[in-house]
Amino acid sequence: MTLKPTTQARLQFLARVVRKECRHLAVTDQRLFQAPFAAERAVQMENDVALAERVEAFAGRLARLQDTVGDRLLPQLLHVL
């Protein structure tokens, strides 16, 4: 299969973005889930700003990754295939 250079460049760009987003999410995951995330930790977020920021960062990075894969990478890949 031969791809147009612009299509190939777009797929390569999106793959790099997804890999970068995965690395960022993994770092946040490691920091957030060093200990099991139970109900007690969720309640603790009200008084622990650092924990609340890690949860927010994790949720934001996960949502961004899902958007990039679902709205950009997969449709481009399906178009090529």
Side-chain angles (χ1 to χ4, degrees):
M1 168 178 18
T2 304
L3 297 178
K4 293 180 188 177
T6 55
T7 302
Q8 184 176 359
R10 178 74 175 155
L11 282 172
Q12 289 171 339
F13 167 76
L14 290 171
R16 283 193 310 272
V17 169
V18 167
R19 279 192 297 272
K20 180 179 173 183
E21 289 178 352
C22 285
R23 285 192 306 268
H24 287 228
L25 182 61
V27 168
T28 304
D29 177 83
Q30 290 169 355
R31 291 181 60 223
L32 180 59
F33 297 109
Q34 287 176 345
F37 199 89
E40 296 81 26
R41 283 189 75 198
V43 171
Q44 182 184 0
M45 285 192 322
E46 189 172 322
N47 299 319
D48 188 342
V49 174
L51 176 61
E53 287 176 346
R54 284 193 300 272
V55 169
E56 186 176 337
F58 179 82
R61 288 177 173 172
L62 179 60
R64 191 169 25 259
L65 175 61
Q66 288 177 320
D67 287 346
T68 303
V69 170
D71 293 341
R72 296 183 182 146
L73 179 63
L74 288 179
Q76 184 72 42
L77 187 59
L78 289 173
H79 174 74
V80 167
L81 296 175

